[in-house]
Amino acid sequence: MIKAKKLYLETFGCQMNVSDSEKIVTLMKGMGYGQTQEPGEADLVLLNTCSIRATAEQRMYGHLGKFKSMKKKRPELIIGVGGCVAQQEGEELLKKAPFVDLVFGTHNLHLLQKMVAGAEAGKKSVATDFLDDEKRFDLFPHAETEGGVTRFVTVMQGCDNFCAYCIVPHVRGREISRSADKVVEEVAALAAAGVTEVTLLGQNVNSYGFKEDAAPDFAELLFRVAEVDGIERLRFTTSHPKDISARLIDCFAQIPKLAPHIHLPAQSGSDEVLKRMNRGYTRADYLAKVRALEEACPGIQITGDMIVGFPGEDEAAFRETMALIEEVRYADLFSFIYSPRPGTKAAGFPDEVTRKEKQGRLELLQAAQKRITLERNQSLVGSVQRVLVEGASSSGDSLFGRTGGNRGTVLHGDLALAGRIVEVRITEGLQTLLKGEVVHA
Ligand code: SAH
Ligand code: SF4
Ligand code: F3S
């Protein structure tokens, strides 16, 4: 009997990589590789990598070291690196880690089967060419449509914004929107497989269709997706504040299925820093969009990203970021210490903020946000929220779901509620969770 081949796949970084990894699993299944969670059992190890910050990249190299010793003991083990570090490093990666067999970039998933077959025959390969047209979506296989409660659907890839600190445009290529018909088709297939919620995914979904003349804009796409029967809740991520239009804001008032949550990263509260970041909006523009969203959708939960210690961020600029989070009162905030990335504009800026100052600022920001998040969660106590039940909670004795505002909620009830939106009275607001009781199922 032929032994079944096994794939061990590790995914780092954002939802784009998670989505690509689903496709990788489907592709490798087509070559007879079943998935394993045990690297020791694997015939093929693939790392789908992230290079958004230097720490992410270092972590990947650290990880790769583990597989080096494994390969020494089992030379037939195939090791591949894909995703954003692979795209950035290309051939270099083989030099730094000569035990690696294949390096595939972010636009080269369609070559993966050929590359793995080559590696099985002892041939190393590198593929990092960009494929900057809509064909890319067709060349990339779809992940197998299986059910689940909530799924991501890619509507666009790449980014043209070139924020001064960001490596994404360099490793994901130019922005391309997928045809609206294809998006609706995929959402309909997911609905038919029992999916209740979809999140439309892209680096900057707000500029969906901008480059494609005849294409609908993102607001129109939302209307079309909302018409799909069986889909009861709709989300999207990520938004760029400069591109969020009045029409899109109005969708929150017009489309009942659209969940009252938006991830709207500000990155800084200082106009001067925003300008140097090349973000294309001012603090006042940002706050005006926030207010318009709150008007269109009272109670909307806003989350964001913030960078501290960007070159030239002095104490006064940092205080403006602190003031912004108090003004917006984010439901949640992801905050990062600025990390210079190769090839980006800011990598050439003098980086005079010391490591210690950056760390101190991050701690202040995170402490303030922690308080705001807790206060906001507590303020929901007594309210009735529409919670989409995703399944059993991690402790196993209750259910876990999310409110429209994307707050994780634990509740008691029958597992048969999975995939349903139920009305839940919130009884407790904790730091990272809400607790509640079902009032209407
Ligand atoms: N397309 C998304 C962001 C993707 S990266 C958007 O524009 O919102 C996710 C977050 O990582 C960014 O929002 C930013 O806050 C952070 N980030 C990106 N590059 C960074 C860098 N060089 N150093 C620190 N944080 C960074
Ligand atoms: Fe990076 Fe800016 Fe593009 Fe977001 S919009 S991916 S932060 S360049
Ligand atoms: Fe990381 Fe690439 Fe996403 S750099 S954040 S995995 S687009």
Side-chain angles (χ1 to χ4, degrees):
M1 203 177 85
I2 306 170
K3 181 178 155 276
K5 295 184 287 186
K6 290 255 158 61
L7 160 71
Y8 176 76
L9 171 65
E10 245 182 282
T11 308
F12 304 84
C14 68
Q15 204 46 56
M16 282 290 164
N17 269 9
V18 174
S19 165
D20 284 349
S21 281
E22 289 178 359
K23 295 173 185 148
I24 291 172
V25 168
T26 305
L27 277 168
M28 292 302 100
K29 203 169 162 194
M31 291 182 77
Y33 284 93
Q35 222 182 332
T36 173
Q37 306 304 324
E38 276 303 318
E41 284 186 351
D43 305 283
L44 169 64
V45 168
L46 294 177
L47 302 185
N48 194 6
T49 61
C50 171
S51 61
I52 196 79
R53 285 167 287 276
T55 42
E57 191 181 332
Q58 285 149 8
R59 213 174 308 136
M60 181 308 279
Y61 276 109
H63 243 71
L64 208 49
K66 234 178 34 193
F67 298 109
K68 182 180 177 184
S69 46
M70 226 177 255
K71 175 117 177 167
K72 252 200 193 129
K73 285 189 214 125
R74 292 195 288 131
E76 70 285 2
L77 176 67
I78 301 171
I79 300 179
V81 181
C84 296
V85 179
Q87 185 63 47
Q88 178 195 319
E89 299 270 274
E91 297 272 351
E92 246 339 89
L93 207 148
L94 281 189
K95 284 191 201 137
K96 288 188 190 161
F99 53 94
V100 167
D101 298 287
L102 51 111
V103 177
F104 57 103
T106 55
H107 291 196
N108 305 99
L109 287 190
H110 61 298
L111 302 175
L112 189 59
Q113 288 186 326
K114 221 172 27 188
M115 295 170 82
V116 170
E120 286 174 340
K123 258 204 334 262
K124 286 184 189 273
S125 55
V126 177
T128 54
D129 284 349
F130 273 156
L131 203 72
D132 274 335
D133 61 43
E134 215 224 332
K135 276 212 301 290
R136 175 152 36 109
F137 291 108
D138 297 328
L139 284 171
F140 283 21
H142 273 226
E144 271 176 3
T145 305
E146 42 179 69
V149 172
T150 173
R151 293 288 295 266
F152 286 89
V153 173
T154 300
V155 303
M156 50 108 65
Q157 288 186 337
C159 182
D160 289 354
N161 286 313
F162 290 94
C163 300
Y165 51 81
C166 186
I167 201 159
V168 171
H170 306 267
V171 290
R172 287 274 165 181
R174 295 290 62 74
E175 192 171 297
I176 304 173
S177 298
R178 191 176 171 199
S179 96
D181 289 345
K182 295 247 168 76
V183 171
V184 172
E185 217 173 88
E186 185 175 342
V187 172
L190 290 172
V195 170
T196 311
E197 173 186 86
V198 290
T199 302
L200 304 185
L201 188 65
Q203 292 298 346
N204 176 19
V205 289
N206 303 164
S207 56
Y208 175 87
F210 274 17
K211 282 172 42 180
E212 291 77 10
D213 292 345
D217 66 359
F218 189 60
E220 181 63 34
L221 183 71
L222 283 178
F223 276 103
R224 286 194 55 190
V225 171
E227 278 168 16
V228 175
D229 279 339
I231 296 299
E232 286 175 33
R233 186 180 271 174
L234 190 55
R235 302 183 182 279
F236 59 84
T237 199
T238 291
S239 290
H240 194 305
K242 82 173 159 50
D243 294 323
I244 180 163
S245 63
R247 238 170 86 76
L248 180 51
I249 291 173
D250 202 38
C251 286
F252 283 99
Q254 302 296 327
I255 303 177
K257 287 180 181 177
L258 188 57
H261 166 233
I262 188 165
H263 188 66
L264 194 66
Q267 313 296 3
S268 169
S270 149
D271 280 346
E272 211 193 306
V273 172
L274 286 170
K275 190 151 187 234
R276 254 173 306 124
M277 284 179 164
N278 192 29
R279 288 289 287 178
Y281 54 85
T282 62
R283 176 200 181 89
D285 296 335
Y286 181 83
L287 282 170
K289 302 259 164 123
V290 166
R291 299 300 169 231
L293 282 159
E294 285 168 338
E295 216 163 280
C297 182
I300 190 168
Q301 302 274 324
I302 299 175
T303 54
D305 296 341
M306 214 64 93
I307 295 175
V308 299
F310 188 73
E313 181 193 78
D314 56 13
E315 274 298 327
F318 173 65
R319 277 198 300 274
E320 291 195 77
T321 295
M322 289 292 283
L324 185 70
I325 73 162
E326 299 290 348
E327 224 171 305
V328 177
R329 288 184 61 81
Y330 291 100
D332 223 333
L333 184 75
F334 301 91
S335 46
F336 313 98
I337 287 180
Y338 166 69
S339 166
R341 306 308 293 130
T344 60
K345 194 160 173 228
F349 295 172
D351 185 7
E352 60 292 291
V353 189
T354 66
R355 180 81 209 168
K356 202 163 155 242
E357 280 170 313
K358 288 178 186 169
Q359 189 61 41
R361 287 177 195 172
L362 186 71
E363 280 164 22
L364 281 174
L365 186 68
Q366 291 188 337
Q369 182 57 47
K370 211 169 156 190
R371 169 182 47 78
I372 295 169
T373 298
L374 181 61
E375 284 169 3
R376 288 199 57 133
N377 284 349
Q378 285 171 341
S379 75
L380 294 173
V381 172
S383 71
V384 173
Q385 301 287 328
R386 298 180 69 240
V387 173
L388 171 59
V389 179
E390 292 182 10
S393 67
S394 51
S395 63
D397 57 354
S398 340
L399 300 177
F400 177 84
R402 287 183 179 278
T403 66
N406 210 25
R407 307 279 77 207
T409 307
V410 169
L411 52 136
H412 290 290
D414 197 313
L415 200 54
L417 290 177
R420 297 249 312 270
I421 293 179
V422 294
E423 289 189 358
V424 172
R425 186 176 306 281
I426 303 304
T427 53
E428 250 183 289
L430 307 176
Q431 187 69 58
T432 56
L433 268 186
L434 305 175
K435 288 190 176 176
E437 297 298 339
V438 178
V439 290
H440 193 262

